Amino acid sequence: QVQLVESGGGSVQTGGSLRLSCVASGYTWSRYFMGWFRQVPGKEREGVAGIDSAGRTSYADSVKGRFTISKDNAKNTLYLQMNSLKPEDSAMYYCAAGQGGTNYLLARYPYSYWGQGTQVTVPS
């Protein structure tokens, strides 16, 4: 069974940095894509960043230039480096994965597996 476990969330001041990690296990895919999503209570879950098997990435305009998605295939781990954090970045962050490929890395529908989430808080 595919399992995704996020970690690295916490509270950080405006302008600070945080790195989220997502360890994946139980998959046998030759091609896959992964992404980070975030959600605030009462709002839709939105795509933040995504990366496919070829290493191509996609970012939401709101985080472009501040966040960086990367992966370590040997460790089956996905990362999200978040710099210059703002209060509006506060949310529950989720790691997601899907089999094959997609041209819509920031959309929810291509993803089949989701982590439990890790909270990120940036006080205003």
Side-chain angles (χ1 to χ4, degrees):
Q1 189 73 249
V2 176
Q3 186 175 22
L4 304 175
V5 180
E6 304 99 329
S7 63
S11 181
V12 64
Q13 297 297 313
T14 298
S17 298
L18 213 55
R19 187 179 73 161
L20 306 183
S21 298
C22 171
V23 178
S25 63
Y27 67 92
T28 57
W29 310 326
S30 57
R31 285 180 56 81
Y32 62 94
F33 52 92
M34 300 185 74
W36 289 98
F37 292 74
R38 64 187 183 188
Q39 186 171 28
V40 174
K43 293 188 176 182
E44 295 289 321
R45 189 171 300 186
E46 64 174 353
V48 175
I51 186 168
D52 65 15
S53 293
R56 289 183 284 266
T57 59
S58 186
Y59 297 92
D61 289 340
S62 60
V63 308
K64 199 169 298 181
R66 299 188 298 120
F67 291 10
T68 302
I69 188 171
S70 63
K71 60 180 179 178
D72 185 333
N73 292 330
K75 296 182 178 180
N76 297 319
T77 303
L78 179 74
Y79 303 98
L80 183 66
Q81 179 65 48
M82 304 184 292
N83 298 325
S84 302
L85 284 163
K86 307 173 181 179
E88 49 262 48
D89 293 319
S90 296
M92 183 71 74
Y93 282 72
Y94 298 90
C95 172
Q99 185 177 7
T102 181
N103 288 323
Y104 303 95
L105 287 169
L106 302 185
R108 294 187 298 274
Y109 71 86
Y111 294 87
S112 299
Y113 304 94
W114 297 83
Q116 82 290 345
T118 185
Q119 182 68 45
V120 171
T121 302
V122 186
S124 59

